Amino acid sequence: MLFLKLLKESFLFANDSLRQNKLRTFLSLLGVTIGIFTIISVFSAVDTLRNNLQNSVNKLGSNSIYINKWPWVGGDDFPWWKYMQRPNPKLREYDEIVRRSQTALAVSYEIAINDRIVKYQSHTVEHAQINAVSYDHDKTWNFDLSDGRYFSELEARAGTPVTVIGSDIAADLFPGGGAVGKQIKILGRYLTVVGVFKKEGNDILGNSDDKNILLPINFAKNVLDVQNDNYQPTIVVRGKDGLTDVDVENELKGMMRSIRRLKPGQEDNFELNKVTLISNQLDIVFGVLHTVGLIIGLFSILVGGFGIANIMFVSVKERTNIIGIQKSLGAKSYFILLQFLIEAIFLCLMGGIIGLLMVYGITLLVSAAFDLKVVLDIKNIIIGIGTSVTIGVISGIIPAWFAAKLDPVEAIRSN
């Protein structure tokens, strides 16, 4: 009951201070509000960017290894001339991995054919992205279909002229719908549409199956040199469930060295890329952004804390006479201390809540304007509230201690 009474009186004092000194209180709270807003908005922005980037990366598969001639991650001393001389992954190597691997759940050979024209009757789509893949592509890459099916193993092996197209491609070529079963012209040949990718929109990296066209690698082999460097040939290996990417990577490294007949001690002439390489780089970058945001926000909060401490010293000065009366009537020192301390916490908490409301409002605007999933989770809210309370305690404890130590007689005499 005593605590509730103390809480009520502190609230009333704080409310009275707000009403009587609106401009002073506003300026004092501004630092806390800006600090909390800065910290939480940066954390939220970083979490949003991290979440959307991770969703893009997750499409690659967490247990998949990508065999390329180039590494995905490089530094300032990137030896591009060395990687340029490496051979591209070959179909023969793909066949050997399929035959030998004990850790692979699926193996896919894939190439990317950029900036091509696709036609259906009088409708044309320019700058289309075409991927020619082997049958296991649906096991090494995550995607969904809204209509039709993925091409069969028999169609893939025979190089049957079939294709799966993105939703945007389907909408442009077939405005009235009904893409499945129609024949479209790609690479100078007619292919039958057997499936349509589910509409997903662009991710934060700009990747999307909406504008993608998928066709069997054995069909493309009759039209193009699928092992040409221009098409970025890649072998994708997805490990069996229960195995780590390290298990798959170790086996692949030994197989590739054996297939390419590399001598012991001879440097690898291939690269084994995996999603964790990107994830680790993301962790480093976002860790730095978190730290920078925290430092900027703490400086703002520090200024706000001084403002709150100043307003509390002024409040003690203005209420010295009242403090003397309270102490002469038997109020304990801790009662006076808690009274001012709770008032400081209340003021900081108010600034923190305003800052959080500002962040929440901006997240709603960004989500509506850019169709982006903004992350504002409970962890960031707790950080904001906790930081506000901490600043309230730190900035209010010294003024509260001075108030608690006042001599009642001298306090009553003051005017």
Side-chain angles (χ1 to χ4, degrees):
M1 292 297 294
L2 180 62
F3 177 77
L4 292 176
K5 181 181 178 181
L6 181 61
L7 186 63
K8 178 182 177 182
E9 289 186 3
S10 298
F11 174 79
L12 292 174
F13 277 125
N15 185 56
D16 184 61
S17 177
L18 285 172
R19 286 189 293 105
Q20 292 182 9
N21 305 283
K22 294 183 177 65
L23 181 60
R24 185 181 71 184
T25 304
F26 169 74
L27 294 175
S28 298
L29 291 180
L30 191 60
V32 176
T33 300
I34 293 175
I36 296 298
F37 172 79
T38 302
I39 290 176
I40 304 308
S41 59
V42 169
F43 283 2
S44 182
V46 170
D47 289 344
T48 298
L49 185 60
R50 180 74 171 86
N51 185 64
N52 284 279
L53 280 173
Q54 192 61 54
N55 289 338
S56 301
V57 171
N58 287 341
K59 290 182 180 180
L60 303 176
S62 59
N63 196 23
S64 294
I65 305 294
Y66 291 74
I67 305 175
N68 306 102
K69 66 184 292 184
W70 297 90
W72 286 353
V73 178
D76 295 335
D77 56 346
F78 189 76
W80 55 269
W81 60 90
K82 179 178 68 175
Y83 300 127
M84 184 182 294
Q85 296 174 6
R86 290 176 171 181
N88 286 310
K90 306 295 184 183
L91 281 169
R92 176 185 63 83
E93 296 168 342
Y94 156 76
D95 292 331
E96 285 293 315
I97 292 173
V98 171
R99 184 175 66 85
R100 296 189 194 184
S101 179
Q102 301 296 315
T103 63
L105 175 68
V107 185
S108 176
Y109 189 90
E110 309 183 358
I111 64 170
I113 309 167
N114 299 316
D115 199 21
R116 296 300 173 119
I117 296 175
V118 183
K119 295 183 178 181
Y120 174 73
Q121 295 180 354
S122 61
H123 300 286
T124 301
V125 173
E126 298 181 345
H127 310 297
Q129 168 70 41
I130 301 172
N131 289 326
V133 300
S134 58
Y135 174 67
D136 277 351
H137 174 78
D138 65 330
K139 300 182 183 68
T140 59
W141 194 272
N142 301 318
F143 62 84
D144 295 307
L145 300 178
S146 62
D147 193 16
R149 60 177 177 83
Y150 182 66
F151 42 77
S152 67
E153 185 173 5
L154 180 62
E155 290 169 333
R157 292 187 181 280
T160 306
V162 293
T163 182
V164 180
I165 63 176
S167 59
D168 287 354
I169 301 290
D172 291 339
L173 294 181
F174 309 97
V180 174
K182 304 290 178 58
Q183 286 193 327
I184 60 177
K185 193 172 184 180
I186 306 173
L187 303 175
R189 305 290 181 89
Y190 286 96
L191 293 91
T192 302
V193 178
V194 296
V196 178
F197 289 113
K198 183 179 178 180
K199 179 73 174 180
E200 59 181 19
N202 288 335
D203 58 28
I204 199 166
L205 295 177
N207 298 321
S208 174
D209 282 329
D210 296 345
K211 303 181 186 299
N212 193 22
I213 295 176
L214 211 62
L215 48 87
I217 191 72
N218 284 344
F219 168 80
K221 190 167 61 173
N222 298 324
V223 183
L224 304 167
D225 176 12
V226 297
Q227 299 177 125
N228 190 288
D229 193 43
N230 293 331
Y231 303 129
Q232 305 165 30
T234 302
I235 299 174
V236 186
V237 182
R238 181 171 183 176
K240 294 179 179 178
D241 295 337
L243 296 178
T244 65
D245 55 352
V246 176
D247 296 328
V248 182
E249 183 180 15
N250 289 338
E251 186 199 45
L252 281 178
K253 184 172 184 178
M255 279 194 298
M256 285 299 296
R257 289 186 63 85
S258 173
I259 293 170
R260 292 192 172 181
R261 298 180 180 179
L262 299 178
K263 298 177 182 179
Q266 188 176 354
E267 186 179 4
D268 294 339
N269 60 356
F270 57 88
E271 201 70 34
L272 301 181
N273 293 307
K274 51 185 179 179
V275 174
T276 51
L277 295 175
I278 301 177
S279 298
N280 292 339
Q281 291 298 311
L282 291 178
D283 289 339
I284 295 172
V285 172
F286 292 127
V288 172
L289 292 178
H290 263 289
T291 303
V292 171
L294 182 62
I295 292 172
I296 294 173
L298 286 178
F299 273 112
S300 299
I301 289 177
L302 185 62
V303 174
F306 283 121
I308 295 296
N310 178 65
I311 197 175
M312 292 310 301
F313 274 117
V314 172
S315 183
V316 171
K317 182 68 175 178
E318 290 175 344
R319 286 158 32 197
T320 300
N321 186 265
I322 297 174
I323 295 170
I325 295 173
Q326 287 179 329
K327 297 193 76 172
S328 66
L329 293 176
K332 302 294 185 182
S333 294
Y334 73 85
F335 182 89
I336 304 298
L337 185 143
L338 289 177
Q339 179 179 297
F340 282 91
L341 188 60
I342 292 174
E343 183 176 340
I345 293 173
F346 171 75
L347 291 173
C348 285
L349 198 55
M350 183 180 298
I353 291 173
I354 294 172
L356 285 171
L357 290 175
M358 289 170 61
V359 174
Y360 180 69
I362 290 177
T363 60
L364 294 179
L365 290 175
V366 171
S367 298
F370 300 101
D371 191 25
L372 182 69
K373 183 181 178 182
V374 180
V375 178
L376 179 59
D377 57 27
I378 190 65
K379 179 190 71 175
N380 291 334
I381 295 175
I382 292 174
I383 289 174
I385 298 298
T387 303
S388 300
V389 172
T390 302
I391 292 299
V393 172
I394 294 173
S395 60
I397 189 65
I398 297 178
W401 183 82
F402 274 112
K405 292 298 181 181
L406 285 174
D407 180 82
V409 176
E410 294 296 329
I412 293 174
R413 288 178 178 174
S414 65
N415 190 356

